[in-house]
Amino acid sequence: MLNSPATILTPPATPNLTDYEVFSQSFNWLNEQKFLNGLPEKKGLNIAFESIERHAAGKLKDCIALRWIQKDRSTKDFTYYDLHKLSSRFANVLTTLGIKKGERVFTLAGRIPELYIAALGTLKTTAVFCPLFSVFGPEPVFQRLSRGDAKVLVTTKALFEKKVTQLLDRLPLLQFILLIDEELHVTDKVLSLPRLMEEAYDEFFIPPTNPEDPALLHFTSGTTGMPKGALHVHGAVLMHYITGKYVLDFHEEDIFWCTADPGWVTGTSYGIIAPLVNGVTNIVDEEEFDAERWYSILEEQKVNVWYTAPTAIRRLMRIDIQPKEKYNLEHLRLICSVGEPLHAEAVLWGEKAFGMPVLDNWWQTETGGIMIANYLAMKVKPGSMGKPLPGVEAAIAEITETEIKIITEPNKQGHLVLKKGWPSMFRAYLHDEERYKKCFRGDWYLTGDLAKKDQDGYYWFVGRADDIIKTSGHMVGPFEVESVLMEHVAVAEAAVIGKPEPIIGELVKAFIVLKTGFTPNEKTELDIIGYARKKLGPAGAPKEIAFVNELPKTKSGKILRRLLKARELGLPEGDVSTLEQS
Ligand code: AMP
């Protein structure tokens, strides 16, 4: 039987995308749309139908859709048919509670099956699903529930008591709290989910769904400013399907593991939807990062495709384990990374550690799906994000308040922009039309990132537009400096900011976490600065170094340079709701 992790698989001989250039030229969205079913009787396009229903009624019915690994390492499997039944029950629960199209259903939970069932069930009803990180403190939870006009919150007893009870007075729109691990209803408002599920019918008729109907709400990780709620539509499922097929190279028998939490867009687009739409087995690990655990999951579950993030890769690089030697990873054929720059060092480490480069790809909450990527069938240039997904038009541009000019000259730094119109483009920042409008100039969406495109069409990340350092008249991208610092034998992690300096404008300051075995002293500092000067020249090399035990990061693993800078300058820290340790 397909999709059983016990089956020994022969890796697919050819990737789905065999020739990037040829395929890009002939690419047509409508051709790909044909691989989706659409709702019966042409009643539209619904993410949950494409992810679950069509498989539950077909040959994948009894295949494992989701394998849940609990903290104690025991596993629980859900077939496509199981998820069909369970999500239908949840959809009926919402309908019975009177939840209507477009209303927001939130989850605040760890990576447990109920979260996935709630996501799919909510999408079936055409209400909007919004997952929150379970590690958020009460204030970030409040910010998001209130900005998102939450009607329903699905959570656990412990999280409810610790983070939500004190907020209820301030959340007048929140009608129901459904407790995952409570057997009896507590009040008219605080209800037992198991009981509601038991009483609900396990068949649900998905109402007509327009591809433009809102489906998902994702608050961005707040690397800049206050969190914004990016709204995505059901039509985004085409993008989930395509990127799963051509970037993650899903084949039906695959076992796939995305390490991201659904509280971050990657954990929803690629931790729930893309693998299911493509009919593969999706591994979900309840536990947080642990190198030995992760390597043994790759081995035991015979993972074929693994999607993770630079922050995890850097942590693995710091530990002295050679996975290829210690574990049997013969099933693994593709490793992808997203979320932050993947330094050339990390790409090459993949070769050494796993026998394959780590393939970087780029996208963001607003784009809803992968936009720029390295593909199995394309030469990898370590340190580059790769090339735009077929069907997606990217460019480097100069922008002003009102205008945009596309730069055609190669290797020139500018703003990374995307031509409007790909299916998973966000359709609004909830309640903030002004901010949404500001993201566009004519036909182009402004990503807020700076990048370069080389003569071969590869894109290279430079930095967030607001992280760029101006020193002695030069523009210095923190990523470039960090990449060089990371090559130094003593450096485990690095983050670079511009520190105001009266003569040169800003000086380059680096915050460095050393690898175990190295001492933070003047000799190490001079050695690192010397190395950076040799590689970058005096303009780009850091003039100051601070050794730190860890770098402030968002819960999705992004280094918060903005926060390092605010701390350095004694300025207010701004929105720190997504800070890892908050
Ligand atoms: P978020 O919306 O929280 O997922 O953050 C999106 C931002 O993360 C992008 O705008 C980039 O600044 C950064 N990012 C994501 N992927 C990459 C990548 N592969 N290389 C460099 N930066 C990335």
Side-chain angles (χ1 to χ4, degrees):
M1 176 57 64
L2 298 176
N3 290 61
S4 158
T7 316
I8 301 286
L9 300 165
T10 321
T14 39
N16 291 323
L17 182 68
T18 47
D19 187 323
Y20 173 83
E21 302 301 336
V22 170
F23 185 65
S24 298
Q25 275 158 28
S26 61
F27 182 86
N28 178 323
W29 292 106
L30 290 177
N31 279 347
E32 295 297 325
Q33 180 98 31
K34 288 185 199 137
F35 293 100
L36 299 179
N37 288 35
L39 285 172
E41 297 169 23
K42 300 201 183 331
K43 295 265 170 65
L45 188 64
N46 182 294
I47 295 179
F49 185 88
E50 300 303 322
S51 308
I52 293 297
E53 306 302 273
R54 64 178 183 146
H55 298 314
K59 68 179 185 349
L60 296 181
K61 181 178 173 209
D62 297 322
C63 293
I64 299 170
L66 194 147
R67 167 164 281 198
W68 180 47
I69 306 174
Q70 307 186 46
K71 288 195 176 169
D72 66 4
R73 292 298 286 265
S74 54
T75 58
K76 200 167 168 199
D77 291 342
F78 297 84
T79 62
Y80 277 92
Y81 187 72
D82 293 336
L83 285 187
H84 150 69
K85 288 282 177 192
L86 289 163
S87 58
S88 289
R89 278 185 193 269
F90 188 83
N92 281 317
V93 167
L94 292 184
T95 309
T96 309
L97 295 175
I99 302 307
K100 305 217 165 44
K101 181 176 187 141
E103 292 186 333
R104 262 80 72 188
V105 175
F106 279 64
T107 51
L108 177 68
R111 288 180 295 280
I112 54 176
E114 287 80 358
L115 188 162
Y116 297 78
I117 292 161
L120 296 163
T122 303
L123 292 167
K124 279 186 175 178
T125 66
T126 65
V128 172
F129 178 69
C130 181
L132 299 180
F133 269 115
S134 61
V135 283
F136 275 146
E139 202 45 40
V141 169
F142 169 74
Q143 283 293 335
R144 287 159 179 79
L145 290 176
S146 77
R147 281 163 187 263
D149 309 319
K151 276 272 155 84
V152 176
L153 173 66
V154 180
T155 188
T156 61
K157 269 197 292 197
L159 289 170
F160 176 61
E161 276 154 27
K162 199 162 151 207
K163 306 188 178 183
V164 186
T165 37
Q166 72 255 48
L167 307 174
L168 290 179
D169 291 347
R170 295 157 71 200
L171 293 167
L173 298 181
L174 184 59
Q175 281 181 352
F176 297 106
I177 290 121
L178 310 185
L179 296 179
I180 291 164
D181 48 355
E182 175 63 74
E183 290 308 316
L184 297 172
H185 296 327
V186 182
T187 63
D188 288 350
K189 180 171 174 154
V190 182
L191 304 171
S192 154
L193 181 61
R195 184 153 169 204
L196 292 169
M197 288 286 278
E198 204 181 295
E199 288 163 0
Y201 186 46
D202 62 5
E203 286 298 334
F204 180 82
F205 178 77
I206 297 181
T209 313
N210 189 303
E212 283 302 306
D213 283 345
L216 298 159
L217 178 66
H218 277 293
F219 285 91
T220 61
S221 55
T223 34
T224 53
M226 282 305 277
K228 306 164 270 187
L231 199 62
H232 292 278
V233 295
H234 278 273
V237 69
L238 179 57
M239 202 71 190
H240 301 136
Y241 170 72
I242 293 177
T243 47
K245 185 160 136 193
Y246 297 119
V247 182
L248 300 172
D249 193 46
F250 287 147
H251 289 67
E252 252 177 24
E253 310 82 3
D254 273 341
I255 294 162
F256 169 66
W257 182 24
C258 168
T259 59
D261 188 277
W264 176 33
V265 68
T266 303
T268 304
S269 290
Y270 297 97
I272 308 180
I273 304 167
L276 298 180
V277 173
N278 281 277
V280 307
T281 292
N282 191 26
I283 301 286
V284 172
D285 182 24
E286 188 183 9
E287 191 51 284
E288 295 311 314
F289 175 88
D290 175 277
E292 295 272 4
R293 179 179 172 106
W294 278 28
Y295 285 138
S296 59
I297 288 178
L298 290 174
E299 178 183 66
E300 281 167 27
Q301 300 303 326
K302 301 186 166 65
V303 172
N304 307 112
V305 181
W306 187 35
Y307 196 19
T308 189
T311 179
I313 291 167
R314 286 193 301 264
R315 286 166 88 173
L316 293 174
M317 286 169 75
R318 271 159 82 172
I319 301 163
D320 195 18
I321 302 178
Q322 285 306 317
K324 213 168 56 167
E325 279 148 38
K326 194 164 167 200
Y327 299 89
N328 177 355
L329 302 176
E330 63 181 348
H331 292 83
L332 191 60
R333 65 164 208 281
L334 173 59
I335 309 173
C336 292
S337 161
V338 71
E340 262 198 293
L342 187 70
H343 304 260
E345 275 295 291
V347 177
L348 298 172
W349 171 81
E351 295 268 16
K352 230 173 39 204
F354 295 98
M356 66 196 88
V358 181
L359 299 190
D360 187 21
N361 57 63
W362 177 97
W363 60 291
Q364 52 181 200
T365 306
E366 288 82 348
T367 68
I370 299 168
M371 293 283 113
I372 297 178
N374 286 282
Y375 310 87
L376 270 175
M378 194 175 83
K379 181 175 161 252
V380 177
K381 293 195 185 186
S384 157
M385 310 189 287
K387 296 191 184 186
L389 189 87
V392 167
E393 199 179 329
I396 303 296
E398 273 170 31
I399 53 172
T400 65
E401 271 300 301
T402 50
E403 280 171 26
I404 180 158
K405 194 172 141 234
I406 302 298
I407 301 172
T408 47
E409 205 182 316
N411 299 313
K412 224 174 147 216
Q413 178 177 310
H415 290 261
L416 176 62
V417 297
L418 301 164
K419 189 76 152 286
K420 268 175 16 190
W422 69 95
S424 61
M425 189 181 88
F426 71 132
R427 300 299 199 269
Y429 282 134
L430 202 66
H431 306 315
D432 205 343
E433 213 184 315
E434 272 311 295
R435 214 161 168 185
Y436 185 72
K437 276 196 204 141
K438 277 197 187 137
C439 297
F440 297 90
R441 293 278 182 290
D443 274 350
W444 294 92
Y445 163 66
L446 318 179
T447 67
D449 282 356
L450 297 176
K452 291 179 197 171
K453 180 180 166 185
D454 72 14
Q455 59 289 350
D456 301 322
Y458 284 71
Y459 282 78
W460 298 78
F461 184 77
V462 174
R464 292 287 307 167
D466 41 19
D467 283 340
I468 286 295
I469 303 164
K470 283 181 207 98
T471 179
S472 304
H474 299 281
M475 300 273 272
V476 175
F479 172 56
E480 209 176 340
V481 183
E482 288 158 9
S483 298
V484 166
L485 293 172
M486 290 281 295
E487 287 165 17
H488 190 278
V489 56
V491 177
E493 286 196 277
V496 166
I497 63 160
K499 178 177 163 186
E501 206 274 353
I503 298 170
I504 56 172
E506 284 183 309
L507 68 77
V508 178
K509 172 155 188 171
F511 295 81
I512 284 178
V513 180
L514 290 174
K515 285 188 187 150
T516 33
F518 290 91
T519 323
N521 55 26
E522 206 185 329
K523 183 177 170 304
T524 315
E525 182 177 342
L526 291 177
D527 205 52
I528 295 173
I529 292 181
Y531 179 81
R533 282 179 76 93
K534 212 162 76 196
K535 287 277 194 151
L536 293 161
K543 296 216 168 13
E544 273 184 28
I545 284 185
F547 293 110
V548 292
N549 291 329
E550 56 184 1
L551 296 171
K553 292 193 193 116
T554 64
K555 291 180 177 37
S556 56
K558 290 181 209 304
I559 295 170
L560 277 164
R561 294 189 192 83
R562 170 181 67 76
L563 190 58
L564 280 172
K565 189 155 178 173
R567 286 178 181 168
E568 178 74 24
L569 306 183
L571 297 170
E573 295 194 350
D575 171 35
V576 288
S577 60
T578 57
L579 190 61
E580 200 172 32
Q581 61 267 41
S582 69

